[in-house]
Amino acid sequence: MEKKKLLLAEDDQLLASLLTFRLQKGGYEVQLSANGKQVKEYLAEHTPDIIVSDIMMPYFSGMELIAFVRKELKLQVPIIIISSAGNEENVLNAFELGANDFISKPVSPSELLVRVARELNKN
Amino acid sequence: MKIPNLTYGIHTLITAPEINNDLLWALSTFFVFLALLYFLSVFFLRNKISSNASRIKQRKTELSPMVSEFLFYEDDADKIEKSKYIELKIEIRDLLREDFNRKILAQILLDLRKDVSGDTQKRLFKLYQDLGLEKDAFKKLESWRWEVLSKGILELTLMQVEEAYPFIVTFINYRRGTIRKQAEIATVSLKSGGISYFLDTTTYKISEWQQLKLLDVLRNKEDFEPPRFRAWLTSTNTHVVLFALRLIKFYNQNDANTSLIELVKHKDRQVKQQAIDCIKEFHVTQALPTLKGVFPKCTVDTKLAVLGAIAELGSTSDIEFLENVSQREGNFSVKGKAVGAINTIAPESIMPTKNIEHIKVYPSQDIDVGEVEKKAIEEDAADQEQARVGPEIDISGEHPVPADSESGPKDNQIKHKDPIVIRKEMANPKKSGKSLKEIKIEVEEVKAASPDDTHSAEASNFDISEIHFLPIVVAETEAISNGKMTDHDNAIDNESVRAIEVRHDEIFSDPMDEELQALITEINELDFLPVVIDDETLSDAESSDALNLDALEPFDTIEGYSLSDFEVSFEEKHDADAYREGEQVAFNLEDAPIIDIKNPNVEDAMSWLMADNELRKIELNYETVPYPSDAEFPNKLIPEPVYYDDHETYMMGLLDDLEELGDLREIPLLEELRAEERKGFIKERIAGMIEKFSRERAAKRKSNSNTDIETANLPVFSVFADLFKSIDTECKLILLDEIVPVGDEKEIEFLDGLLQNPDQSIRNKAQTVLKLLIEKLSHENPEALYSKRVSDIVAEHGVSKIVGGKATNEMDLEEESFGHLLSELKVSPAMAPEILDIDFELCEILDNHYDQKILEIPVISTEVPFDANGSSLFNSLRKFSKLFF
């Protein structure tokens, strides 16, 4: 069975490493991008099954990523946003732009795994 | 050609200082060197820091996957994963040997702790301790540098190392605030009971920010059961009280109402306001009097808080207080708050008055309540309002709605006691621009008139229409004659109604009526008592009208009176037969003497009572007891005061104290006082006390002798016995040597037991030590050797000869003979023999070469044995004299 492609956009190296390990262990093919530029480059060539992104990243924020995917690439890929700034305004903005889910930091890797699976099952 | 020195040549005229060129060069070189050194050091340090950072980053990149492996390793992993895990373990063990790696690992785990939650976080904590990284943190706690110490506490707190709790709590009252605050958070965070410990022990201020942080820690703590924070309302630390109040409010602990009321009186403004907040939150209405009491002394902020609380908790009875505040208070905010509070308790009690334009109000006559509107009201009222509000509506009295209005069913007619008045705007809702639902209905309660008013109202002004709300009950006969009984028949006009006798029949059994009947019965049973009448009513009492029983009739209809409200009259009886037969109560009001209260004649009353009770045969002798004169009477009864002079007061106080606190040791003092005292009564008291204490001494001696007997029967315990069990032979021998200087009679039995020891060396040593110990005790404390057990042992080992004093038989005999000598001479010792027990040593050996002349005297030279046991002076002298005679 082919593994689902997951794009993880996270600038925090430690957390990225931990989540990558957990998601890989959960059966996903994880592409890690440390900043917005790398995300753009990846998306120009590939279409992941799901995107998990942080909001605050260098070059390209998570919000911009959602807008880029939904408006420019016109992709309906599920997007899960992870952010330590889990205030109401950010959450509402993310959902308005087209995010499918929002997880506040600190994040539980197991919970993320469940949410990813749920979003993929929806599609 | 010599070049002139420009420094001097050109600037000579402008008084420039003369500076040596060499010095300038030297300074320039020095500063250039400093600059170079600075730049080099900056360059070096920057490179070092950046290289270190890159090294850390590199190492983090290497170690973070290992951490992930450890974190997400499952026991049910496959073989490859397991082997990889084991390899990782070996690798990390090697890495942990280096401090740098340990530091990096700790940093990774601490960084991850902030980003992960749930099960992963718990695994992280476990991994931290499994790797032994907490040991580094513990080392930091020992550092003298406060920043290192703070880091250590933070690390242990973040990684939830509960073992660190006892070490961290010691920093709660640390002098440096940063450490203290870190320790406070750690204490609260690491253990559920930490908050209690912290509140108990902290003596420092808890800042607002710190309180918020602590509250946040508590809020996010899993399975936290908050203690009852009322316990800290009594703390001497005001900040603890304040924090406890906030916690009480946060956790809704409404079991400290009394304390909260007390804290309203607290001097600290913040505590006061917080207590008021809690009172408001928990709706403690009992606090209202206290709130009012503290109000005048409060600051503006507190006053506002108090008024807010009164508005929340108060009732109409508090409006008077609020009105006073609004009138007297100078501060605008407080004034406004008071008015606001009044309006909160009683909405729209105070209407806006400032900047209100005066407009012409439509006169009430202009409003025409037409038939159409009236009908509309009736319909609406019948459909909607009547059922809810009440059955009958009276429109302002001007247009009364008839009681038998067709709009309502007859069953619901006029039974409501409170007439409901509707304003005219209700009568004409269209004109007022409001619907009927929007119009407010004012309900006026008609208070019950007093009984007096009721009586007066029964006069000619009575109109049946005024009591139309009451059911009209007609006498049965009249009802029958009319052929029907209707409550409200419009055919009955007012005139005919007036002629009807109105009675209010009780539908149910009235408890007041029953009570009244019981009261009357009780009064009738009291007819054996003489009738007592005031002077003023004497003439009336004599008249037959006053004694008419008919006067009791109003009782049947009067309610709500007590016994004291009634004037009791008894019916005059003339039942001659009953009197003749002498049955039952021989009471005849005619024969009863009328007693004048103001001038009682006891003799008359007694004679009459006795006559009526068939006690005529008993003779009564009225003896006159002579009273002493007014001057003598009180003086004899009242004891004369005793006045002490200064000395007597002092002595009596001293004796009081001695009597209360003293014992037999006071006897010498008392005897001394008695000898010095001149006052007889004080001497008597002292003598009494001496006697009392002497009795106590005798009793104590007796009890002591009993105690000695009991003690003697107890088993003897040697401290050396326990030590002896767990040591080797060499140590035993050393220990045995120690027994002689430190041991006492308790060791004798123990040493005796050691004589049976299988080890020869111990037996020998014990034997020697025993002898030495007995010798020592015989000098120091010979009485200790008298006990049965010890004396047997002493006798067994043949050491009785060396025991001095009264213990030996020889000495007993000597004493006996000395006693005979004393009796023969008829001399008795003046004092107790023990007083004469002087340590008297005669250890001098008569030297043969001392003096030739002396030596020529024929003397039997002998050696006086060492006798340092305190043998008496007489014995020693006697022995000495024996040498010569």
Side-chain angles (χ1 to χ4, degrees), chain B residues 871-885:
Chain B
S871 56
S872 70
L873 177 65
F874 289 115
N875 285 338
S876 303
L877 286 172
R878 204 150 57 89
K879 278 182 186 175
F880 189 73
S881 62
K882 275 182 183 176
L883 297 174
F884 297 96
F885 305 105

Side-chain angles (χ1 to χ4, degrees), chain B residues 815-883:
Chain B
E815 277 199 355
E816 208 173 319
S817 59
F818 178 61
H820 285 298
L821 182 67
L822 289 173
S823 61
E824 281 171 18
L825 295 170
K826 294 182 180 177
V827 175
S828 60
M831 299 177 80
E834 60 265 26
I835 297 170
L836 287 171
D837 274 352
I838 300 167
D839 287 343
F840 194 85
E841 293 181 10
L842 287 173
C843 56
E844 191 181 346
I845 301 165
L846 292 174
D847 195 347
N848 291 329
H849 310 288
Y850 190 69
D851 192 327
Q852 197 59 41
K853 287 180 182 176
I854 295 170
L855 289 173
E856 284 172 359
I857 300 168
V859 174
I860 304 163
S861 176
T862 184
E863 195 173 314
V864 178
F866 179 78
D867 191 8
N869 66 340
S871 56
S872 70
L873 177 65
F874 289 115
N875 285 338
S876 303
L877 286 172
R878 204 150 57 89
K879 278 182 186 175
F880 189 73
S881 62
K882 275 182 183 176
L883 297 174

Side-chain angles (χ1 to χ4, degrees), chain B residues 26-176:
Chain B
L27 281 171
S28 301
T29 314
F30 177 70
F31 281 114
V32 166
F33 173 75
L34 275 181
L36 278 172
L37 187 69
Y38 171 75
F39 281 115
L40 280 172
S41 60
V42 166
F43 180 76
F44 173 76
L45 286 171
R46 193 176 176 277
N47 271 355
K48 193 185 174 185
I49 290 166
S50 61
S51 67
N52 202 24
S54 63
R55 193 178 160 215
I56 290 169
K57 194 180 176 183
Q58 177 70 23
R59 190 49 60 90
K60 274 189 178 178
T61 316
E62 287 168 15
L63 292 176
S64 59
M66 290 170 76
V67 171
S68 303
E69 283 276 355
F70 277 107
L71 281 178
F72 299 114
Y73 174 76
E74 302 286 346
D75 290 333
D76 56 348
D78 54 13
K79 272 188 177 178
I80 303 164
E81 209 169 332
K82 274 186 179 176
S83 62
K84 199 178 173 185
Y85 179 72
I86 292 164
E87 281 172 19
L88 272 175
K89 264 191 163 181
I90 295 163
E91 194 180 343
I92 212 158
R93 198 176 290 166
D94 292 336
L95 288 169
L96 286 171
R97 284 175 190 160
E98 283 183 39
D99 283 346
F100 178 72
N101 290 330
R102 293 172 68 86
K103 198 178 165 186
I104 298 300
L105 267 172
Q107 274 185 21
I108 290 170
L109 296 179
L110 285 166
D111 287 346
L112 282 175
R113 187 245 176 270
K114 292 170 195 164
D115 290 330
V116 296
S117 64
D119 186 48
T120 313
Q121 197 180 61
K122 284 175 187 168
R123 287 173 181 223
L124 204 70
F125 296 154
K126 194 173 178 298
L127 181 64
Y128 179 81
Q129 292 191 49
D130 286 347
L131 296 175
L133 299 173
E134 84 279 10
K135 288 171 190 165
D136 294 338
F138 276 116
K139 277 181 190 170
K140 286 177 187 172
L141 293 184
E142 293 166 7
S143 174
W144 59 270
R145 291 167 65 189
W146 66 267
E147 68 273 16
V148 178
L149 185 57
S150 177
K151 274 181 189 172
I153 296 172
L154 179 68
E155 202 173 310
L156 291 166
T157 312
L158 284 175
M159 301 315 288
Q160 291 290 304
V161 184
E162 283 190 26
E163 289 76 20
Y165 177 82
F167 300 98
I168 291 174
V169 292
T170 55
F171 295 104
I172 281 179
N173 287 319
Y174 198 78
R175 62 185 182 281
R176 188 177 280 274

Side-chain angles (χ1 to χ4, degrees), chain B residues 691-736:
Chain B
E691 195 181 341
K692 182 188 157 195
F693 289 145
S694 304
R695 278 201 302 272
E696 279 177 15
R697 180 160 65 179
K700 198 173 180 183
R701 276 180 183 166
K702 196 177 177 184
S703 68
N704 280 346
S705 63
N706 291 337
T707 316
D708 291 343
I709 291 161
E710 284 168 13
T711 316
N713 293 329
L714 289 172
V716 179
F717 173 77
S718 168
V719 287
F720 291 94
D722 266 354
L723 294 169
F724 227 73
K725 286 174 190 170
S726 53
I727 53 175
D728 56 9
T729 310
E730 196 177 344
C731 295
K732 282 176 185 173
L733 293 171
I734 295 166
L735 194 68
L736 282 170

